[in-house]
Amino acid sequence: NVNVNDIISALNLQVINFATGSAEIPAENKAILDKAANLLKKVPDAKIAVKGFTDNVGNAASNKTLSEKRAKSVVSYLVSKGAAKDQLTAEGLGQENPIADNSTKEGQFKNRRIEFSVAN
């Protein structure tokens, strides 16, 4: 039995960190997204929110746009692998809610991320 919370937990274990200024999904993250798309096909009523984030480098408005592009690129990838479009929503949160210190390169890298949750 596939549970939407199990899918989300697995996706959140797989850290998707983007290159600076990029919305391209790193190749090493595609295998887990492929598995998630297959699982989503088995749970057609599951709804997942894909939330994109950036570091604080650059303009806040531009970062908000970039974070939305990142979330949409993950949604598009999952749909291209068979997940239903109506199961997924993309949201860009920009540089809000950092999980690491933006004053270091490592912290900035950690903040350029995607998080998954159950969509309301």
Side-chain angles (χ1 to χ4, degrees), residues 35-92:
K35 289 178 185 172
N38 283 327
L39 290 173
L40 283 168
K41 287 188 261 186
K42 296 177 183 176
V43 191
D45 58 339
K47 304 276 191 235
I48 294 180
V50 181
K51 298 176 182 176
F53 297 87
T54 65
D55 57 31
N56 69 348
V57 176
N59 173 297
S62 296
N63 283 340
K64 180 100 166 152
T65 300
L66 177 59
S67 67
E68 191 172 325
K69 286 180 183 175
R70 289 174 173 167
K72 286 180 176 178
S73 78
V74 171
V75 167
S76 294
Y77 185 83
L78 289 167
V79 170
S80 79
K81 295 299 179 176
K85 189 172 175 50
D86 65 356
Q87 288 183 282
L88 302 157
T89 58
E91 183 179 4

Side-chain angles (χ1 to χ4, degrees), residues 2-12 36 39-40 43 46 48:
V2 179
N3 177 311
V4 68
N5 291 310
D6 295 336
I7 298 170
I8 289 169
S9 294
L11 283 168
N12 282 327
L39 290 173
L40 283 168
V43 191
I48 294 180

